[in-house]
Amino acid sequence: MFEKLAAQAPDSLLALIGAFRDDPRPEKIDLGVGVYRDAEGRTPVFAAVKAAERRLLETQDSKAYLGPEGNRAFARAVAPVVLGPLAGDERILGVQTPGGTGALRLAAELIAAADRKARVWLGTPSWPNHAPLMKAAGLAIKTYRHLDPATQSICFDEMIAALESAAPGDVVLLHGCCHNPTGADLSPAQWDQVAELLAARKLVPLLDLAYQGLGNGLEEDAAGLRQVLDKVDEALIAYSCDKNFGLYRERVGMLFVRGRSGAEARIAFSNVLTLARTNWSMPPDHGAAAVALILEDDALRADWRRELDAMRARIASVRAELAAADPAFAALGRQKGMFSMLPLSKETIDRLRKEQAIYMAGSGRISVCGLTPGNLPRFVEMVRAALAAEGRP
Ligand code: LMR
């Protein structure tokens, strides 16, 4: 049977993890996968997570199954963080998923089950896993340009024109904040315009919020999403705690489904649970249980907020430093979150890796917090030289 299979190339982004690990050069710089690093280049476990894990170790008295919904305390605690005043609305129901990817996959399967003809509109470039995830559920993708590489700004007119040509019932995948890979987010006024258009054309937003707290602030980063929810009837939200709680490998996420009524939301939710059962049956509990403990405990929650605020401040300071270092990086100072894209050719990106041990995604995406006071000057110098060699100022 397996002789019928064609070999698949490894995921190019994830392959960087292994390539970087195996590189013996001490000066190597990792700007690949989206994992936060502090000024010493470490990705520490949050102190609040450690404390919650200790408490779990001492108090958890069973590992019995919880069911396809996962940890209910987690879902109850996360809802207000994401939805603000909309938490508790009977039209919005949430299920725990293995990471944001699990939520996206579940969303895609729910869309396909509801309307196989629905197309998913995606601004490009996007996270490289978005399109494959949607296609894996049998959905067709329609694309429009999110970012103009020449100006490093959002092609908002192209986005509006694309959405005006979408059919009612089509799905629009939007990054809630900290756009991956470009760092170029919609302004509040642009969110408003998009929300109006989604409502007018009866398009269904699929909001991917994987970096809440790493852009402008915890509340601020959910503002666009809430603006959309205020206007539309139906929506899906794929949420991740992997980054803002530093729980990456624990895979902690959530899918929210917003229906036109409580009754419709409950029907959609029953479908979500059935789909979860045929995918992973039940999500892993450990990370979600730790998040629930943190959010329910004032002291742990305050610790978590402090650490998250420090992460955001560090990301902003690296961006400011890059922008001040060279006009070539000016746009990075305006962009938000972990990622930005450098307008480098594929050959240059390969050369920087081979000759300088500077690792970035093949698209030119850099994870900015891979830069530290120790390696930033060399990085700026090498990229400046690479741009000059490409004949760019
Ligand atoms: C990233 O974009 O680097 C992260 O979201 C990790 C991943 O799974 O791609």
Side-chain angles (χ1 to χ4, degrees):
M1 169 201 254
F2 299 143
E3 75 280 3
K4 296 182 189 127
L5 293 172
Q8 302 289 315
D11 181 280
S12 59
L13 189 57
L14 301 186
L16 285 176
I17 299 175
F20 181 82
R21 190 189 47 222
D22 298 341
D23 189 331
R25 291 173 287 183
E27 73 277 19
K28 62 187 178 179
I29 303 177
D30 184 7
L31 309 173
V33 174
V35 169
Y36 175 78
R37 288 185 206 285
D38 63 18
E40 280 78 48
R42 293 172 311 206
T43 307
V45 180
F46 278 50
V49 168
K50 275 277 183 212
E53 287 182 314
R54 269 194 297 273
R55 211 176 283 179
L56 273 178
L57 186 64
E58 278 152 23
T59 60
Q60 196 173 48
D61 53 9
S62 176
K63 296 274 186 197
Y65 291 130
L66 291 175
E69 281 179 73
N71 190 311
R72 286 184 188 205
F74 164 77
R76 269 196 308 275
V78 169
V81 176
V82 181
L83 304 171
L86 291 166
D89 184 328
E90 60 154 3
R91 292 169 302 167
I92 309 179
L93 296 170
V95 60
Q96 190 204 325
T97 56
T101 303
L104 286 163
R105 180 62 198 240
L106 211 48
E109 292 192 7
L110 183 71
I111 295 161
D115 179 4
R116 189 152 281 279
K117 292 206 189 71
R119 301 166 304 172
V120 179
W121 292 78
L122 187 60
T124 58
S126 198
W127 181 46
N129 210 13
H130 272 149
L133 264 164
M134 298 298 132
K135 287 184 192 157
L139 296 168
I141 301 282
K142 299 284 284 179
T143 59
Y144 57 88
R145 277 202 318 165
H146 174 78
L147 188 89
D148 178 356
T151 62
Q152 286 286 303
S153 49
I154 295 180
C155 307
F156 192 62
D157 293 345
E158 288 181 42
M159 176 182 191
I160 293 295
L163 301 189
E164 273 169 351
S165 73
D170 277 357
V171 172
V172 183
L173 200 161
L174 298 166
H175 298 231
C177 68
C178 305
H179 187 275
N180 180 3
T182 69
D185 288 345
L186 294 171
S187 69
Q190 288 172 331
W191 271 113
D192 228 20
Q193 208 176 324
V194 169
E196 296 276 4
L197 185 54
L198 295 170
R201 295 202 56 82
K202 300 209 177 314
L203 307 175
V204 181
L206 166 51
L207 296 143
D208 186 357
L209 187 61
Y211 296 91
Q212 188 186 9
L214 295 178
N216 290 322
L218 204 57
E219 283 294 298
E220 294 84 342
D221 290 348
L225 174 149
R226 293 178 197 167
Q227 272 170 266
V228 170
L229 290 182
D230 277 341
K231 295 262 159 60
V232 300
D233 287 331
E234 294 180 317
L236 292 153
I237 300 168
Y239 188 70
S240 174
C241 297
D242 291 347
K243 318 284 173 112
N244 59 3
F245 283 82
L247 280 162
Y248 313 90
R249 67 179 72 161
E250 301 293 353
R251 316 302 301 133
V252 186
M254 213 170 148
L255 174 69
F256 294 94
V257 185
R258 152 83 173 266
R260 284 183 303 183
S261 64
E264 281 191 16
R266 284 191 293 280
I267 292 171
F269 194 65
S270 70
N271 279 268
V272 165
L273 295 182
T274 304
L275 292 168
R277 177 73 170 140
T278 55
N279 274 290
W280 43 79
S281 183
M282 288 163 254
D285 181 63
H286 179 78
V291 169
L293 277 181
I294 292 167
L295 293 177
E296 284 166 352
D297 181 295
D298 288 346
L300 288 183
R301 190 185 176 105
D303 277 356
W304 165 65
R305 286 293 299 264
R306 261 194 297 279
E307 215 158 339
L308 183 61
D309 290 349
M311 283 167 73
R312 182 174 64 254
R314 179 172 137 66
I315 292 171
S317 81
V318 175
R319 287 187 171 282
E321 221 173 309
L322 283 170
D326 195 292
F329 298 119
L332 276 71
R334 298 189 299 271
Q335 295 164 349
K336 296 287 168 189
M338 282 200 187
F339 308 114
S340 280
M341 285 184 82
L342 299 180
L344 297 169
S345 68
K346 182 101 191 60
E347 294 68 41
T348 299
I349 291 163
D350 285 349
R351 221 180 36 250
L352 283 170
R353 191 179 66 251
K354 285 189 195 125
E355 294 173 9
Q356 303 300 336
I358 296 175
Y359 285 73
M360 64 180 81
S363 60
R365 186 191 84 168
I366 59 165
S367 179
V368 296
C369 47
L371 294 169
T372 65
N375 66 24
L376 190 136
R378 187 171 81 86
F379 169 77
V380 170
E381 190 191 325
M382 290 307 146
V383 173
R384 197 187 274 142
L387 285 167
E390 286 190 2
R392 275 181 288 152

